[in-house]
Amino acid sequence: MTAAERSDADLLRAHADGDPLAFEVLVRRHRDRLWAVALRTLRDPEEAADAVQDALISAYRAAGSFRAESAVTTWLHRIVVNSCLDRIRRRRTRPTISLPGEGPQDPADAHDRMAERDTAMAVEEALGQLPVEQRAAITLVDIEGYSVADSAVILGVAAGTVKSRC
């Protein structure tokens, strides 16, 4: 059986047992969704990238302590959400002021359609007006498609709390 055919739990166990490639396969399998959750939670690509990196380092180190009480993907998402929330808390205690941008702007993506862009901007703006706890719940349930129960595990709250936040 190739590494790509192995379950998440098998890969995590293999990583904890010293397999040098298992964690890489696991990360490749879930990185896009982890990134999406971090980006929607933090609303800043650089902060999201740092949060995902911090979360994956934590997961890499803590793989041996995974108790399999939830799915590996739920465990990874919880670590990412916690990393995002930590960054938001730190940002509140050390506010910064952005400098005006200089130089060329990001290139326009020719594949974007105007209607999709308008919708995405409206959703991002609306999410930005919500408290971080509510934004995280909505991102997981309504945007990423997680169940309320899985979202509750990821966020470390009761299912009823996730429902009320959504």
Side-chain angles (χ1 to χ4, degrees):
M1 178 182 300
T2 68
E5 296 170 333
R6 296 163 75 182
S7 73
D8 291 348
D10 289 341
L11 287 169
L12 194 60
R13 199 169 17 265
H15 164 67
D17 291 341
D19 183 335
L21 300 176
F23 195 77
E24 179 183 347
V25 172
L26 190 62
V27 168
R28 263 194 252 129
R29 189 176 288 172
H30 297 289
R31 69 180 170 208
D32 292 340
R33 289 186 77 186
L34 298 173
W35 165 253
V37 167
L39 185 59
R40 286 190 178 104
T41 302
L42 293 168
R43 304 184 64 224
D44 178 337
E46 290 177 17
E47 285 285 317
D50 289 344
V52 170
Q53 180 176 337
D54 290 347
L56 291 175
I57 290 169
S58 294
Y60 183 90
R61 292 178 178 159
S65 65
F66 177 69
R67 295 183 304 239
E69 294 173 355
S70 62
V72 172
T73 186
T74 302
W75 179 72
L76 288 171
H77 278 80
R78 182 174 187 155
I79 294 171
V80 168
V81 168
N82 286 340
S83 178
C84 291
L85 296 176
D86 288 346
R87 288 186 164 279
I88 289 168
R89 285 184 205 106
R90 280 194 300 258
R91 193 184 317 153
R92 285 182 186 155
T93 60
R94 295 180 303 175
T96 59
I97 299 172
S98 299
L99 297 174
E102 293 182 18
Q105 299 297 317
D106 292 332
D109 185 355
H111 300 290
D112 283 348
R113 297 183 199 141
M114 289 305 287
E116 290 174 355
R117 182 172 292 189
D118 289 346
T119 301
M121 288 172 49
V123 168
E124 289 298 322
E125 183 179 334
L127 284 172
Q129 295 175 10
L130 298 173
V132 68
E133 294 83 7
Q134 190 174 11
R135 184 169 59 231
I138 289 172
T139 298
L140 290 171
V141 174
D142 294 325
I143 297 174
E144 292 299 318
Y146 281 95
S147 69
V148 170
D150 286 344
S151 297
V153 171
I154 291 169
L155 296 171
V157 298
T161 301
V162 172
K163 287 180 185 178
S164 69
R165 289 178 181 174
C166 287

